[in-house]
Amino acid sequence: MSGPMLVVDAAVLLISTAILSALLPARAAKPLLCTALAAVILVVLAGSPQGDLVYRGITLLHAEGYLNSMAILLLTAELLILLETSGIDEYTGPLILAVNAAGILILYSGSPVALIAGIEAGAVAFTALSLYSGGRSIEAGLKYFYSSIIASSFLALGFSVLGERALYSFAEIQGSEVSPLARVIGLAMILSGLGIESGLMPFHFWVPDVAEAVPGSFLAVMMLSVDAPLLLVLFKLVAGAGAILKGGLAAMLALLSVLSMLVGEFSALVQENPRRMLGYSMVSDAGYTALLAVSYVLAGVEDLRVPVLFITASNVSLALIFSAYTGDRMDEASRVAVLAGLLSLAGVPPFYGFASKYSVLSALGSASHWYLAGIAAFFFLVCAAYVFRFILRWRPGTGGRPRYFFAAYAVLLLVLGLYPEIVFRIGGVKP
Amino acid sequence: MLELLALNLAVAALGAAAAYKGRTAAAVSTLFASALLAFASYIARGVEEYSWLGVDWGILGIGFDSVSLLFMAVSVIVVSASLAYMEGNGGASGITACSLLLVHASVTGLSYAYSLPAFYIFWEMLLLSSTLLIASYRRGIALRFFVYMHAGSLMMLAGIGILSSRTGPLFGQTVPEAPATTAAAILLLLSFAVKLGVFPLHSWVPEAYTMVPPEAAAVLSGVVTGAGGYGMYRVLYGYKWPSSLESLFILFAWMGAVSAILGGMRAIGENRLGMIASYSSIGHSGYMFAGLAVGLAGAPLAAIGGVFHMVAHGVVKPLFFLVSGVLSKQSGTDDVRNMGLYARSMPFTGFAGFTASMSLAGVPAFALFPGELMLILGAASLDIAMAGALAAATLASAAYAIRFWLRVFWHPPAVAPKQLPREAGPGLLLPLLVLSTTVIILGVAPAPVVDCIRSSLEVFVP
């Protein structure tokens, strides 16, 4: 195991590669990008960073096994996607690396400073990617940018209201010495900020538009680098809020979670556009994560195993579908990959999605939150319904070059479904 | 044990790849390798626990016993026969052959599953692979089949959730008496009834069995449907249920008995070979379901009969489907009213048809007789009316089976054909003869199989 400086090294590696990629010819961009991602994966895998990086009393980074697991898995998925992505040049390559660097910062953030910096950096980089893509992607990128700015503002205000110590470290939130009313207001603002960023209802309106308009590979990068870590941060902050969250605030968050699931899943059910359908699925994922967090805080559980499983499974499945699905002619490997992603999203064994949804139900059931388990199970069924409806109607044409890395991604979903424990083993989490 | 399971699944995956590439001989070889591994697992037999998800409900139990071995044997024999039949019939698409091996892979997993999550994973795999098998012929039917079956799977999942929360996911626990556990028992019984195609949850059967070629129907009826009986044994017998549920089990046993009677009576009135086989399957699924349900109520002889019936029916029904396939191919018709005196020109097919129909009729020395006898005797120990109903179902079964035999092979047809159909080639006859031999062995020497089932019951059931 190594210290948290490894995370800094990884981020520096990404940024420096981004700069290099911007200076070199276009054809060097993709190899550099893939090499950098592979290097970061190896660094985290071999180094398994643990501990806090504190600078002048501010906990900049917090590293632990679960975060390493998530980083390795998400980066591996992203690498497989990017290996099949065309059109990476001296502009998009560095921007993708910048999004990844921001994602590393968000995932390993130990304080609001790092979190907000990561969100802002990620927003700028992703917006630039969207603008560069042109067409409707410009409008979607701008929507995402405005949402991120508002989210960051709420976060900054919220942490400020909780007091100076809360700005230094997430661990200090529980011990905030401000008045109860200020604590509630602060937490509400923080949750609003994270809700906007993750697409929790009623802040979800940007999600389907971005899902529909942004090119699939770039959207997958955003999901895997930024969206997934943000969901985990949402979970950690809610579950770690402790006594502050109990009572009315917990009830309100639970209600918002259920509404997110309701809006997300039922809106997806009626969509004709498959990408908007998947976009609404992202909205419901935020709801499931928040619901799980509420259950954990009420039951006093702190283990990150189940949320890591759920967040990675849903985002990894969605990212594959977004990237591999081209709507018209698809090669056989891509069709298999899309089918695997859809079945994983629907929670059909033996794919990864089943393991994650089963673990959510297990966690809620073990905490004796039967109503929450029943609600989650119901919305899982709705998700399965629209996925199967899509599969029923899907009539892809054949053609195009074989995209074997997408097939490898599908195999990854299968392997993770059969042996999900491997996710934690590679991150150095003790069983 | 996990290593043996992994190895067995790897072999099955190799077989699927070989089948996809059209290497039938290699695919069949992997099936026999799988059978050897299963035998090795049986020798090693035991149960091991593994942490799968690191959560309370996420413990995987992997084990193997004699009933697992029997179920895998059925799968190996039937899938091999179907592959050989396909090869003798001019070959089939890579996807079709691959899906047969995937069905076997799912059965392999089910055979090793000794906990609820493990069972459910391979149950869904079986659903996906059987849907793929049907989809390789008829996409629309495959999707309806999937939706129907998945509804049953979801009921099972709900039951699994309840049981896991009350007793834990591993088999061998005592179930406490509570409304929730009653609900779990009902959900599980209904899910197995869907898979078996028991009345009134049988409407998927005729369409699925008649709209695909006989080699696919053989696997669906013998292996996929048989998984319902195996699952019922493995999951429901894996727990000690409260005595207050005995009346519930008797009620569901009646559902099986009604299915046995209705299936048999409906088959009597059918003239198309596929429909006769389909309603026959509904009837015999009812037998299995009734026997296993009565066994849960406290009649171990009926339980043994139910499991034996699962094994025997798993071989007899595929034989019947393949015989039907040969008859249709050689004669150009699937209506028994247009057939007659075929025993003269098709002696080997006639022998296979005789074996299948006598088994379905429940004639001694053929495969289904021992199981039906144990079923009826076991049911009689608890409910004489049910024993009578099952006996009546046997009569109905005998009626359509003997009608089939006489109509097709023995009696002249209504309109004499210009020429009797020729005997099928060796490629089509070989699987028929293998299945017929197995059917006769099961009927003449059932004791080893019965002993296997009894030993499993003594060890497995808490």
Side-chain angles (χ1 to χ4, degrees):
Chain A
M1 286 190 300
S2 307
M5 277 306 293
L6 268 181
V7 178
V8 176
D9 295 342
V12 166
L13 174 65
L14 290 171
I15 294 167
S16 52
T17 310
I19 296 169
L20 185 64
S21 179
L23 296 172
L24 290 175
R27 65 176 181 272
K30 186 168 170 178
L32 274 175
L33 167 62
C34 296
T35 307
L37 287 179
V40 170
I41 293 169
L42 286 171
V43 161
V44 178
L45 184 63
S48 195
Q50 307 270 347
D52 293 343
L53 179 67
V54 181
Y55 179 71
R56 295 194 177 191
I58 301 174
T59 307
L60 289 176
L61 298 174
H62 168 74
E64 60 172 299
Y66 286 115
L67 304 182
N68 298 335
S69 303
M70 203 160 164
I72 293 167
L73 177 57
L74 295 174
L75 285 170
T76 303
E78 193 180 329
L79 180 61
L80 289 171
I81 288 172
L82 291 171
L83 283 167
E84 288 294 355
T85 301
S86 54
I88 297 176
D89 57 20
E90 68 268 38
Y91 301 106
T92 54
L95 289 172
I96 291 172
L97 285 164
V99 171
N100 277 281
I104 292 279
L105 200 54
I106 295 170
L107 181 63
Y108 288 99
S109 59
S111 66
V113 172
L115 175 65
I116 294 170
I119 290 173
E120 289 294 304
V124 168
F126 180 69
T127 304
L129 264 178
S130 304
L131 294 174
Y132 185 75
S133 302
R136 292 187 58 199
S137 184
I138 297 173
E139 179 192 338
L142 288 172
K143 278 184 188 171
Y144 179 79
F145 185 67
Y146 297 145
S147 305
S148 292
I149 289 177
I150 297 169
S152 303
S153 309
F154 270 96
L155 283 169
L157 280 170
F159 282 112
S160 305
V161 167
L162 286 179
E164 186 184 352
R165 288 175 64 188
L167 285 170
Y168 288 3
S169 170
F170 290 139
E172 300 291 340
I173 293 175
Q174 270 204 55
S176 173
E177 291 170 349
V178 298
S179 66
L181 179 63
R183 259 187 262 155
V184 169
I185 291 172
L187 202 55
M189 296 187 81
I190 291 168
L191 291 174
S192 299
L194 287 172
I196 294 170
E197 197 59 42
S198 56
L200 195 69
M201 198 227 148
F203 313 112
H204 64 284
F205 295 100
W206 61 269
V207 179
D209 296 337
V210 169
E212 185 185 5
V214 174
S217 300
F218 297 161
L219 184 65
V221 167
M222 187 276 284
M223 289 182 65
L224 295 171
S225 298
V226 176
D227 190 52
L230 266 169
L231 284 173
L232 189 65
V233 169
L234 169 68
F235 177 87
K236 283 192 330 183
L237 286 179
V238 171
I244 305 176
L245 192 62
K246 290 192 178 157
L249 208 53
M252 194 181 309
L253 186 58
L255 180 64
L256 282 181
S257 308
V258 173
L259 287 174
S260 289
M261 285 142 59
L262 182 72
V263 166
E265 303 292 27
F266 278 96
S267 297
L269 194 59
V270 299
Q271 294 301 315
E272 293 297 328
N273 184 312
R275 297 195 66 183
R276 288 190 75 82
M277 177 187 83
L278 297 173
Y280 278 108
S281 187
M282 291 167 65
V283 172
S284 60
D285 287 343
Y288 293 123
T289 307
L291 190 75
L292 194 61
V294 168
S295 172
Y296 270 40
V297 80
L298 293 176
V301 177
E302 293 181 10
D303 188 27
L304 287 181
R305 175 176 292 266
V306 174
V308 166
L309 272 174
F310 180 76
I311 292 166
T312 52
S314 54
N315 281 275
V316 161
S317 305
L318 281 167
L320 175 59
I321 304 167
F322 275 122
S323 311
Y325 180 77
T326 55
D328 42 20
R329 292 169 68 227
M330 294 171 63
D331 63 286
E332 201 166 317
S334 297
R335 278 185 278 144
V336 168
V338 170
L339 187 61
L342 288 167
L343 291 174
S344 180
L345 186 67
V348 177
F351 294 100
Y352 192 28
F354 170 73
S356 72
K357 291 187 176 183
Y358 186 82
S359 69
V360 168
L361 295 176
S362 172
L364 294 172
S366 299
S368 300
H369 295 148
W370 296 111
Y371 287 107
L372 297 182
I375 289 169
F378 172 72
F379 287 115
F380 286 157
L381 283 179
V382 177
C383 175
Y386 64 72
V387 169
F388 291 141
R389 189 188 69 139
F390 176 79
I391 294 174
L392 290 181
R393 295 181 180 183
W394 190 28
R395 296 284 188 272
T398 53
R401 66 169 180 85
R403 299 200 284 179
Y404 294 119
F405 286 110
F406 285 150
Y409 198 135
V411 172
L412 178 68
L413 285 178
L414 186 62
V415 169
L416 291 174
L418 289 172
Y419 186 42
E421 189 64 28
I422 196 171
V423 173
F424 304 109
R425 293 286 176 96
I426 59 175
V429 177
K430 291 185 179 57
Chain B
M1 195 57 70
L2 183 65
E3 296 82 8
L4 285 168
L5 169 62
L7 194 55
N8 221 326
L9 289 175
V11 165
L14 276 174
Y20 184 71
K21 288 293 181 188
R23 310 272 197 268
T24 306
V28 173
S29 304
T30 62
L31 284 169
F32 288 110
S34 173
L36 286 172
L37 284 169
F39 193 69
S41 304
Y42 171 67
I43 303 230
R45 57 184 176 275
V47 184
E48 294 168 3
E49 296 172 23
Y50 300 93
S51 173
W52 176 54
L53 283 176
V55 295
D56 288 348
W57 297 0
I59 299 175
L60 285 187
I62 304 293
F64 205 85
D65 69 0
S66 46
V67 173
S68 308
L69 182 66
L70 289 173
F71 187 41
M72 275 202 70
V74 167
S75 177
V76 166
I77 293 170
V78 172
V79 172
S80 301
S82 292
L83 281 171
Y85 186 94
M86 269 197 268
E87 191 69 19
N89 205 17
S93 73
I95 286 284
T96 307
C98 178
S99 58
L100 289 181
L101 272 295
L102 290 175
V103 165
H104 176 72
S106 309
V107 163
T108 302
L110 282 173
S111 302
Y112 283 85
Y114 258 62
S115 69
L116 294 172
F119 188 87
Y120 185 76
I121 288 169
F122 290 107
W123 185 261
E124 285 290 280
M125 267 186 69
L126 181 64
L127 171 59
L128 288 174
S129 50
S130 50
T131 303
L132 182 64
L133 174 62
I134 299 175
S136 66
Y137 298 106
R138 299 283 191 104
R139 197 178 171 123
I141 294 164
L143 296 168
R144 284 197 291 277
F145 170 83
F146 181 82
V147 171
Y148 205 115
M149 288 288 136
H150 199 63
S153 296
L154 292 174
M155 282 194 277
M156 176 185 287
L157 187 60
I160 283 174
I162 297 170
L163 266 188
S164 295
S165 65
R166 297 294 163 145
T167 64
L170 289 171
F171 296 146
Q173 316 293 328
T174 300
V175 180
E177 194 171 332
T181 51
T182 304
I186 292 171
L187 287 166
L188 288 169
L189 283 164
L190 285 174
S191 71
F192 293 124
V194 169
K195 185 65 111 185
L196 282 164
V198 174
F199 176 87
L201 303 167
H202 67 288
S203 54
W204 64 269
V205 174
E207 187 181 53
Y209 286 7
T210 56
M211 293 295 177
V212 296
E215 58 269 25
V219 172
L220 289 174
S221 63
V223 180
V224 177
T225 302
Y230 176 79
M232 204 168 157
Y233 172 75
R234 188 60 70 201
V235 174
L236 290 172
Y237 281 75
Y239 290 91
K240 186 171 172 56
W241 297 91
S243 54
S244 57
L245 290 185
E246 281 175 14
S247 52
L248 177 74
F249 295 135
I250 295 283
L251 184 66
F252 273 90
W254 270 107
M255 190 170 111
V258 167
S259 181
I261 294 172
L262 289 178
M265 288 177 66
R266 188 66 197 268
I268 292 172
E270 290 291 339
N271 294 308
R272 284 181 54 209
L273 289 168
M275 294 301 277
I276 294 172
S278 301
Y279 284 104
S280 169
S281 287
I282 292 170
H284 283 275
S285 292
Y287 273 114
M288 256 186 270
F289 192 76
L292 289 167
V294 166
L296 283 168
L301 187 61
I304 296 173
V307 177
F308 190 97
H309 203 83
M310 180 264 294
V311 173
H313 183 262
V315 184
V316 170
K317 195 45 57 64
L319 173 62
F320 190 88
F321 270 109
L322 294 185
V323 165
S324 303
V326 168
L327 289 171
S328 297
K329 180 180 163 70
Q330 299 302 110
S331 66
T333 178
D334 69 345
D335 193 323
V336 297
R337 290 171 296 187
N338 298 332
M339 300 178 186
L341 295 176
Y342 283 11
R344 286 184 188 177
S345 61
M346 304 172 74
F348 294 104
T349 307
F351 168 72
F354 179 77
T355 310
S357 50
M358 290 304 108
S359 297
L360 289 172
V363 171
F366 292 93
L368 291 180
F369 170 75
E372 288 177 4
L373 180 65
M374 285 186 281
L375 267 169
I376 293 171
L377 291 176
S381 68
L382 281 184
D383 188 343
I384 198 72
M386 186 178 306
L390 290 172
T394 307
L395 288 175
S397 188
Y400 70 73
I402 293 172
R403 174 178 177 260
F404 161 79
W405 162 254
L406 291 175
R407 250 293 145 50
V408 173
F409 293 102
W410 209 247
H411 289 167
V415 177
K418 287 181 188 168
Q419 195 179 5
L420 289 174
R422 293 191 311 173
E423 181 62 275
L428 292 178
L429 288 179
L430 179 62
L432 298 191
L433 292 177
V434 167
L435 289 173
S436 301
T437 308
T438 310
V439 164
I440 292 170
I441 291 173
L442 277 173
V444 168
V449 175
V450 172
D451 289 341
C452 278
I453 300 168
R454 186 178 287 120
S455 67
S456 170
L457 271 172
E458 286 165 3
V459 175
F460 176 64
V461 178

